[in-house]
């Protein structure tokens, strides 16, 4: 997309987007949260960011150090939350902790109430029923949800655009067959397939992504196909053909930019759809592997522990915030791309 | 002198964008007498349509505003009238017909419903009388067998019939004034003549005044009593029709009157080398029916055409819309499938597939009708012109750049526009860019598909002159497709007249115009001059 910088149409679109205050602020907040969450290990972790021990600098967030490195007994990785290890380190140096001293899977054994325990100064949003810090899990959960949705949206858009482009551009039999195949494929019950598959495969992030991708790419096909059906009859496309351009080149240079408008407009909504799907699967227990920080699992815990409202409320607030921000961004993008403006 | 029916005084129209205000009309004044025809003449962008629309307050308010002015109709200031009063005037006292009859009729309503809507609103007729009135109106505007056409939808009518229905709608409430905004521009010449004649008849019969908006001085000469010439939002000259056309005072009016493309084709070069030759060329589109998509019949868009074009000459292809002339051009450029022989130079090209055709594309170029549609809006001028060069020439980017700049100069554009985008240019400039795109490949044949019909007269003349200069310089053969006889005459050596996919007459340009043999050709020439 080399033309993005210079093209006056895009300049106008960016200006339009900037004018939508709700959209631009949503984008800023979302980017801040997302980039922050990419560094989740530096924000919420059960390992210190920096250790100065015996005049050596150590970075436990990145590197595993055995306990013996600090004068302990075991060759396994040091448990920095263990009072004994803390004492060893503080003797000859100091530790710099992240703001939240729990990772998503850290179990807090020092609770004064049975898990799930309510918010306290140690666990700002309380803990879940396995005594894990909810705030840490929400931060990691946000990251994994957005990353999953982002990768899924980008990959399914690439496939969807390619298929839609070929169908729309060539039309005729290719289009007819393609549309029928998509109708059959789209008719498959995705949820049942996932349930069946998860009974003999242990789902992982990439496995889940792959299966979702198999059924998610069809969203954009119709849109792009319609754009290409229209685009192939545009006069400048005909002019390009008269110049002797090859078909792939015409598709890429002349029609795709038109189709990209509707695609980009649709992207935030695909993104929210993917987040919702992942959350739903996690809620039902067919999603990410057990123990992963997932918002859907938190919702399920909230439902199972109605006496601990901080579980359900945290999950709700995070999901609502994330989806609302994305929808606002999507709306602003859609308005910015609107040719009537 | 009696009180004029409609009097526009010092009218201004401005459009306010977020950033700036553009004055589209700057203080114009004119009077329209009952039963007379006033023509508002000017080129596109001169503000003539905007002036007419403000009479009915049909502009997109509040973006549009009137900084000054009064529009007095029957002693009442329309600009100050409220919406309720305006609705009574619109379609009731003042009727309007638009340029594009296809889009101004609701495609989902049949004729009866379109017209009865007006009658219900403005005439409060009883439902049993409405149909009779509709039939009367349709008969008046010359629709044959009106009773049978009542249930017809707009797409079932021809362009001329649609415009007649529009006129019937505008006349339904017996208005005092009919505003006709380019009523014949979208129609074929022979139909144009009929519609104009109809308007004149109706005017005589009903005694209404007509405000005619047009860019075509030929029409003005025929129907108008007085003329106002507009240029860039200002009224440059007004007066009676004869006075303006006989002795125009303002230089812009003179320019308009002289704008008809004139002159003759370039002298015939002394080679007899054939450039392109077609034998029994046919393009038939199958009509498929039923579950099995069996071909039941064909639409014969081009049906057995023979012609030969020699190097450096122009073959004009004339016909009305639907005659198959554009299809013929596309077939010669091998952009659609056809049957029959096409020989380019010595080589038969009708059997080549798209891939084998590609090397030959640089020799056969096309310029399309709509300069707004044929340039990709997302590419800079340099990218647009470079696109063909990149494929066909072995030169590096710098040499190509030099060639692009040279070509831009040749078509009369400043080479420093390279990095701008098509939307920054006027129609005429865009058409020059489109010609540059074709020319930069140094083709032997350029197929020109109505290259001037979307342009103003004065710009048409410039483009025709440019095409002539280029032809003389590079010995390019032109296949010139047009419905406009004056442009064809100014450019072609030989002319083919097409109707319904067949050749009606073909001959040298001079013979066609001096002694047309076929009645259809005679009608075309009569309608055009």
């Amino acid at each position: 997309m080399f033309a993005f910088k210079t093209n006056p149409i895009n300049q106008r679109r960016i200006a339009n987007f900037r004018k939508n205050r709700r959209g631009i602020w949503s984008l800023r907040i979302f980017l801040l949260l997302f980039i922050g969450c990419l560094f989740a290990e530096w924000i919420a972790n059960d390992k210190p960011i920096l250790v100065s021990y015996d005049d050596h600098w150590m970075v436990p967030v990145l590197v595993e150090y055995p306990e013996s490195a600090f004068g302990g007994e075991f060759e396994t990785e040091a448990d920095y939350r263990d009072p004994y290890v803390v004492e060893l380190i503080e003797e000859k140096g100091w530790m710099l902790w992240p703001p939240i001293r729990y990772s998503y899977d850290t179990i807090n054994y020092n609770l004064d109430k049975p898990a799930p325990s309510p918010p306290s100064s140690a666990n700002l949003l309380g803990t879940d029923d396995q005594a894990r810090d909810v705030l840490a899990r929400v931060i990691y959960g946000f990251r994994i949800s957005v990353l999953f949705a982002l990768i899924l949206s980008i990959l399914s858009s690439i496939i969807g655009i390619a298929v839609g482009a070929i169908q729309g551009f060539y039309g005729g039999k290719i289009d007819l067959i393609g549309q029928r195949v998509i109708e059959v494929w789209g008719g498959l019950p995705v949820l049942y397939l996932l349930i069946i598959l998860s009974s003999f495969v242990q789902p992982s992030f990439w496995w889940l992504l792959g299966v979702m991708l198999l059924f998610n790419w069809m969203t954009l096909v119709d849109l792009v196909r319609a754009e290409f059906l229209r685009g192939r009859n545009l006069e400048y496309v005909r002019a390009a053909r008269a110049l002797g351009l090859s078909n792939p080149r015409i598709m890429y240079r002349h029609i795709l930019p038109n189709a990209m408008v509707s695609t980009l407009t649709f992207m935030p909504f695909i993104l929210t759809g993917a987040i919702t799907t992942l959350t739903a699967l996690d809620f039902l227990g067919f999603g990410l592997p057990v123990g992963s920080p997932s918002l859907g699992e938190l919702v399920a815990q909230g439902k199972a522990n109605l006496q601990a409202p901080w579980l359900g409320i945290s999950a709700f607030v995070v999901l609502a915030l994330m989806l609302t921000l994305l929808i606002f961004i999507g709306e602003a993008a859609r308005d910015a791309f609107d040719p009537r403006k | 002198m009696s009180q004029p029916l409609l009097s526009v005084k010092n009218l201004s129209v401005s459009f306010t964008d977020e950033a700036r205000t553009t004055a589209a009309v700057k203080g114009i004044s004119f009077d329209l007498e009952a039963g007379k025809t006033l023509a508002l003449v000017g080129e596109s962008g001169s503000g003539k349509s905007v002036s007419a629309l403000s009479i009915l307050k049909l502009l997109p308010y509040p973006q549009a505003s009137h900084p000054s002015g009064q529009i007095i109709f029957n002693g009442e200031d329309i600009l100050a009238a409220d919406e309720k009063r305006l609705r009574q005037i619109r379609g009731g006292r003042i009727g309007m017909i638009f340029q594009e009859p296809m889009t101004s009729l609701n495609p989902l309503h049949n004729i009866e419903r379109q017209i009865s809507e007006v009658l219900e609103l403005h005439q409060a007729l009883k439902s049993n009388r409405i149909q009779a009135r509709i039939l009367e109106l349709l008969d008046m505007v010359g629709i044959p067998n009106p009773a049978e056409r009542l249930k017809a939808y707009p797409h079932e009518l021809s362009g001329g019939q649609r415009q007649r229905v529009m006129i019937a709608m505008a006349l339904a409430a017996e208005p005092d004034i009919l505003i006709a905004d380019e009523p014949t521009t979208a129609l074929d010449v022979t139909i144009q003549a009929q519609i104009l004649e109809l308007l004149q008849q109706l005017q005589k019969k009903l005694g209404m005044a007509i405000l005619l908006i047009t860019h075509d001085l030929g029409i003005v000469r025929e129907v108008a009593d007085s003329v106002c010439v507009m240029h860039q939002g200002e009224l440059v000259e007004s007066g009676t029709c004869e006075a303006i056309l006989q002795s125009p005072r303002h230089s812009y009016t003179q320019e308009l009157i002289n704008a008809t493309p004139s002159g003759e084709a370039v002298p015939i070069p002394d080679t007899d080398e054939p450039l392109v030759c077609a034998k029994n060329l046919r393009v038939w589109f199958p009509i498929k029916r039923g579950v099995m998509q069996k071909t039941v019949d064909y639409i014969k868009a081009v049906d057995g055409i023979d012609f030969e074009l020699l190097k450096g000459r122009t073959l004009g292809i004339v016909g009305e819309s639907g005659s198959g002339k554009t299809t013929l051009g596309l077939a010669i450029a091998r952009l659609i499938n056809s049957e029959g022989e096409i020989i380019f130079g010595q080589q038969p090209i009708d059997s080549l597939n798209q891939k084998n055709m590609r090397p030959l594309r640089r020799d056969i170029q096309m310029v399309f009708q709509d300069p707004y549609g044929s340039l990709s809006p997302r590419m800079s001028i340099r990218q647009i012109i470079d696109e063909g060069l990149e494929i066909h020439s072995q030169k590096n980017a710098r040499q190509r750049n030099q060639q692009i700049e040279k070509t831009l100069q040749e078509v009369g554009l400043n080479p420093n526009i390279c990095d701008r985008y098509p939307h920054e240019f006027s129609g005429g400039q865009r058409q020059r860019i489109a010609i540059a795109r074709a020319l930069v490949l140094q083709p032997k044949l350029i197929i020109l598909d109505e290259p001037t019909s979307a342009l103003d007269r004065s710009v048409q003349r410039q483009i025709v002159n440019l095409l002539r200069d280029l032809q003389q310089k590079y010995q390019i053969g032109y296949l010139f497709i047009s419905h406009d006889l004056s442009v064809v005459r100014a450019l072609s050596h030989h002319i083919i007249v097409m109707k319904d996919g067949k050749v009606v007459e073909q001959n040298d340009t001079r013979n066609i115009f001096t002694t047309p043999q076929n009645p259809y050709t005679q009608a075309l020439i009569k309608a055009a001059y």
Side-chain angles (χ1 to χ4, degrees), chain A residues 17 261 264-266 268-269 328-339:
Chain A
F17 188 85
V261 172
L264 285 176
T265 312
F266 224 72
F269 302 101
F328 283 163
I329 297 170
E331 273 182 354
R334 188 189 59 202
D335 291 348
F337 279 113
D338 189 344

Side-chain angles (χ1 to χ4, degrees), chain A:
Chain A
M1 290 284 107
F2 60 96
F4 250 78
K5 277 185 209 104
T6 48
N7 194 325
I9 300 174
N10 287 320
Q11 281 169 10
R12 200 187 60 209
R13 286 183 182 143
I14 292 168
N16 268 341
F17 188 85
R18 281 173 172 281
K19 240 181 276 163
N20 187 329
R21 295 183 57 84
R22 195 169 67 187
I24 191 81
W25 276 106
S26 296
L27 182 68
R28 282 179 190 150
I29 297 170
F30 181 78
L31 284 180
L32 190 79
L33 290 177
F34 179 56
I35 292 168
C37 283
L38 284 180
F39 298 97
E41 276 85 0
W42 275 270
I43 295 169
N45 210 333
D46 53 0
K47 300 168 190 171
I49 298 172
L50 200 65
V51 172
S52 163
Y53 179 77
D54 212 4
D55 293 335
H56 291 289
W57 295 101
M58 291 170 159
V59 198
V61 175
L62 300 175
V63 190
E64 281 188 16
Y65 300 102
E67 199 182 296
S68 53
F70 304 104
E73 285 152 32
F74 302 119
E75 293 296 317
T76 52
E77 197 189 354
D79 176 7
Y80 301 92
R81 296 174 53 80
D82 186 347
Y84 173 66
V85 175
V86 173
E87 206 172 292
L88 280 177
I89 294 173
E90 306 242 295
E91 232 170 67
K92 291 187 180 177
W94 47 266
M95 291 189 280
L96 177 67
W97 279 92
I100 300 161
R101 294 192 182 193
Y102 305 93
S103 185
Y104 65 90
D105 54 355
T106 314
I107 296 169
N108 187 356
Y109 292 105
N110 309 327
L111 292 176
D112 39 12
K113 284 181 191 141
S117 68
S120 64
S121 58
N123 304 101
L124 289 176
L125 292 178
T127 67
D128 66 2
D129 57 5
Q130 290 165 53
R132 297 171 299 197
D133 185 55
V134 171
L135 183 56
R137 285 186 75 75
V138 157
I139 292 172
Y140 282 88
F142 183 89
R143 176 171 75 173
I144 208 164
S145 295
V146 176
L147 279 180
F148 183 89
L150 214 59
I151 299 174
L152 181 61
S153 309
I154 290 171
L155 290 182
S156 58
S157 298
I158 291 172
I159 300 175
I161 290 171
V163 174
I166 289 167
Q167 281 190 13
F169 188 79
Y170 291 103
K173 282 215 173 67
I174 293 178
D175 187 32
L176 198 75
I177 294 167
Q179 283 299 95
R180 297 298 87 75
V181 168
I182 286 177
E183 273 160 23
V184 172
W185 194 242
L188 291 178
V190 188
L191 189 62
Y192 294 126
L193 258 157
L194 273 168
I195 293 172
I196 295 164
L197 285 172
S198 67
S199 66
F200 51 87
V201 187
Q202 171 62 42
S204 70
F205 181 86
W206 294 107
W207 187 88
L208 206 58
L209 192 76
V211 176
M212 295 296 300
L213 188 57
L214 280 181
F215 296 96
N216 220 318
W217 56 271
M218 287 166 289
T219 339
L220 277 177
V221 171
D222 285 340
L223 212 71
V224 176
R225 172 177 164 266
E227 285 288 340
F228 269 73
L229 274 176
R230 188 178 67 89
R232 67 179 180 155
N233 289 324
L234 287 178
E235 212 155 54
Y236 61 80
V237 172
R238 190 170 262 172
R241 191 163 303 166
L243 283 173
L245 262 71
S246 61
N247 284 337
R249 216 178 154 110
I250 292 176
M251 286 160 83
Y252 182 72
R253 287 190 72 167
H254 291 272
I255 317 182
L256 187 64
N258 284 324
M260 282 315 280
V261 172
S262 51
T263 308
L264 285 176
T265 312
F266 224 72
M267 272 289 262
F269 302 101
I270 296 178
L271 211 61
T272 49
I275 291 175
T276 321
T277 317
L278 181 69
T279 312
L281 285 176
D282 282 338
F283 177 76
L284 294 172
F286 302 110
L288 294 169
V290 180
S292 320
S294 93
L295 297 172
E297 197 225 333
L298 193 60
V299 179
Q301 282 200 24
K303 180 181 163 262
N305 300 287
L306 287 175
Q307 83 284 3
W310 55 90
L311 296 174
I313 292 174
S314 305
F316 166 75
V317 169
V318 172
L319 278 171
L321 180 76
M322 175 161 58
L323 296 178
T324 312
L325 287 178
L326 284 173
I327 291 288
F328 283 163
I329 297 170
E331 273 182 354
R334 188 189 59 202
D335 291 348
F337 279 113
D338 189 344
R340 280 164 298 183
K341 281 219 166 179

